[in-house]
Amino acid sequence: MIFPKALKIGDTVGLISASGATPPDKLKPAIESVEKLGLKVVVGETCQARHGYLAGTDQLRASDVNQMFNDSTIDGIFCIRGGYGATKILPLLDFDVIRANPKVFAGYSDVTALHIAINQKCGFVTYHTPMPSTEFIQQDMDEYTWDSFKQQVMATTCHDYLLKNPLGHSMTTLAAGQATGQLIGGNLTLVTASLGTPYEIDTKNKILFLEDIDETEHRVDRMLTQLKLAGKLDEAAGILLGAWTNCGPDNPKHPEHSLSLQTIFQEILVPLKKPILMDLTCGHCLPTMSLPLGSTISLNTENQQIRVIE
């Protein structure tokens, strides 16, 4: 896997949306939040486009991605937000152009579809990070989240370091063991949606990271079961579980009619006999950790350490 050149102060970043439309009142603050990092900003057409719930047509969103990678004056690409729609543009992407122009590519949530495709088809590391029109502009955007973001996108050649939760946020060992492999994954819904497509996630001998938001417990159960039946969990070398924001019972008044996430994880994941760490502070939450997807990591549940070693 190739590590893209780290961003530095004065570099130019392209803002795009491969997914949902950006609320107009959030565009200017999002631009300013990136400029405060010392970066120049080029705004893609998709940041100001709308096609229903999408940031423009599939053709426009794919074009923005292709053009930003093909433009040699653009040093990195930040997805301004998530939402829905990244999966729809995969057949329209020019992976030859993307492969020939590796650069920092950052975002999360619906952007998971692009991370999987780029990691597997283009062979370079991408970054699971908070985004400019969502986390960057929140008043509670914290120092840990900023530092983790900058460590990834502005120090891409640094290796042999630990991915640590913020102070006061402990990881939990769900299943004991050690494993080394390529870090992959992201949002559970998008990982599951890749199955049966030309962009299906390859988990063989890899460390699978999963998180999600606004899914009921039975839906999390269903998606993990689908990954299990597809062989994706059995093939993985280890599993990391992040934040499960607003993932609760269908009827909060009767939680006894549901299964807790802890029970779901115990029943589906623990029998795999793979090393599993949960409560990674990463996903739809603040503070949140940024991750180098595609890099090689070592996972040790005994001391609850995750080390980037490649």
Side-chain angles (χ1 to χ4, degrees):
M1 294 293 285
I2 296 170
F3 281 82
K5 184 180 68 173
L7 295 175
K8 62 183 185 302
I9 292 175
D11 278 352
T12 299
V13 166
L15 289 186
I16 63 165
S17 178
S19 306
T22 304
D25 62 323
K26 293 187 176 181
L27 179 57
K28 183 179 178 182
I31 295 170
E32 292 173 346
S33 70
V34 177
E35 290 175 337
K36 287 178 181 177
L37 294 170
L39 302 169
K40 300 174 185 176
V41 175
V42 171
V43 179
E45 287 186 60
T46 51
C47 294
Q48 301 177 77
R50 179 178 286 276
H51 177 60
Y53 40 76
L54 301 167
T57 64
D58 296 348
Q59 289 75 18
L60 178 64
R61 299 192 330 279
S63 176
D64 240 9
V65 175
N66 291 332
Q67 289 181 26
M68 290 294 184
F69 271 105
N70 198 39
D71 188 341
S72 61
T73 68
I74 302 294
D75 301 295
I77 302 167
F78 292 173
C79 294
I80 195 170
R81 61 155 300 173
Y84 166 72
T87 303
K88 291 166 66 68
I89 71 171
L90 293 176
L92 303 175
L93 295 181
D94 190 334
F95 288 106
D96 290 335
V97 165
I98 296 172
R99 187 183 304 109
N101 296 280
K103 58 186 70 175
V104 165
F105 180 81
Y108 82 112
S109 194
D110 195 62
V111 183
T112 296
L114 300 182
H115 286 310
I116 294 170
I118 293 173
N119 288 165
Q120 293 182 180
K121 290 184 174 293
C122 302
F124 63 87
V125 173
T126 59
Y127 299 91
H128 183 287
T129 71
M131 296 178 286
S133 78
T134 51
E135 290 81 13
F136 280 22
I137 63 176
Q138 291 188 27
Q139 289 186 344
D140 55 351
M141 178 70 167
D142 57 283
E143 186 175 352
Y144 168 87
T145 302
W146 279 123
D147 287 346
S148 182
F149 176 82
K150 289 185 286 187
Q151 179 188 37
Q152 297 303 329
V153 305
M154 304 185 84
T156 62
T157 57
C158 293
H159 313 308
D160 196 23
Y161 62 90
L162 296 176
L163 295 171
K164 296 181 179 180
N165 272 1
L167 292 175
H169 296 253
S170 300
M171 297 181 194
T172 303
T173 297
L174 187 63
Q178 300 180 35
T180 298
Q182 190 183 86
L183 177 61
I184 60 167
N187 183 265
L188 172 61
T189 300
L190 274 297
V191 169
T192 307
S194 76
L195 300 181
T197 75
Y199 313 95
E200 181 171 305
I201 191 167
D202 176 9
T203 64
K204 190 171 183 179
N205 300 323
K206 298 178 181 180
I207 310 294
L208 178 62
F209 166 73
L210 297 171
E211 61 83 34
D212 220 319
I213 183 173
D214 293 338
E215 297 290 349
T216 59
E217 289 161 339
H218 87 264
R219 289 176 180 169
V220 173
D221 187 332
R222 185 194 66 215
M223 288 186 282
L224 289 176
T225 298
Q226 187 174 355
L227 290 178
K228 167 68 175 173
L229 294 175
K232 299 301 178 180
L233 301 181
D234 290 295
E235 291 180 347
I239 298 173
L240 296 172
L241 299 174
W244 301 89
T245 306
N246 298 329
C247 292
D250 282 328
N251 187 348
K253 293 182 179 179
H254 294 283
E256 71 276 9
H257 295 167
S258 184
L259 294 175
S260 69
L261 290 179
Q262 181 71 29
T263 299
I264 293 166
F265 297 153
Q266 286 283 349
E267 292 183 353
I268 297 177
L269 302 181
V270 172
L272 298 170
K273 301 187 185 307
K274 315 264 185 190
I276 305 172
L277 276 182
M278 60 184 293
D279 298 326
L280 197 69
T281 305
C282 185
H284 293 77
C285 60
L286 281 176
T288 193
M289 181 190 303
S290 292
L291 298 174
L293 296 174
S295 66
T296 298
I297 67 168
S298 64
L299 167 62
N300 186 332
T301 66
E302 183 176 342
N303 55 19
Q304 297 179 342
Q305 283 192 352
I306 307 165
R307 183 178 295 276
V308 179
I309 60 175
E310 185 176 14

